[in-house]
Amino acid sequence: MTARNQGGFTIIEIMIAVVILMVGMLGLVMTAALLSRMMGRSSRAQAAATFAAQRMEKMRPAACIAGQRVAGEDTLRRGGQWVAINKWSYIDLGGSAYRLRVITRWQTVQNRTRTDTLEMGVPCLT
């Protein structure tokens, strides 16, 4: 009687390979979902940071003009929804120098808010 050499995979080997493949695919799907959320979050943070920087540049010259050196607030809207709110104020540092502070509150996906502060010293040469 001769033993036949049979090649191929057993059902157990195939099942193990399928489980390993599915675990790998699940990891890829989870990574893609996380990456998508992170991109959306960074997009909203970037919009708020740009809005704050633009406000900072608009208000910087006003630091040296007493009548224009007033606190204020403005809102960035897209559609009917607010995206970010800027509140700015001036702090007298003495010696014709001021600090301009812009506090930005922006909305996250889950309707939570985050706050960032941007500050700049402004020397006024007279």
Side-chain angles (χ1 to χ4, degrees), residues 9-124:
F9 297 103
T10 65
I11 190 74
I12 300 291
E13 291 171 329
I14 291 174
M15 288 174 61
I16 290 172
V18 167
V19 167
I20 291 171
L21 182 65
M22 294 201 40
V23 166
M25 294 295 280
L26 182 62
L28 287 175
V29 168
M30 296 295 283
T31 301
L34 179 64
L35 187 62
S36 176
R37 280 194 310 264
M38 288 174 61
M39 286 174 51
R41 186 179 309 140
S42 69
S43 173
R44 282 181 292 284
Q46 179 63 37
T50 300
F51 184 52
Q54 288 173 346
R55 175 52 60 190
M56 176 77 73
E57 286 303 312
K58 287 179 186 175
M59 300 312 296
R60 185 169 52 104
C64 297
I65 303 169
Q68 294 181 3
R69 195 181 315 122
V70 294
E73 178 178 315
D74 65 350
T75 303
L76 174 65
R77 295 186 177 276
R78 291 216 174 117
Q81 192 120 5
W82 72 276
V83 176
I85 299 171
N86 282 336
K87 291 184 181 181
W88 63 90
S89 60
Y90 295 92
I91 302 164
D92 189 351
L93 300 176
S96 295
Y98 298 89
R99 179 171 304 281
L100 171 58
R101 176 180 293 157
V102 178
I103 299 173
T104 303
R105 191 176 57 147
W106 51 280
Q107 194 170 22
T108 65
V109 174
Q110 297 144 344
N111 289 327
R112 295 181 184 162
T113 59
R114 299 215 186 253
T115 304
D116 290 321
T117 302
L118 185 60
E119 291 187 0
M120 173 189 293
V122 182
C124 298

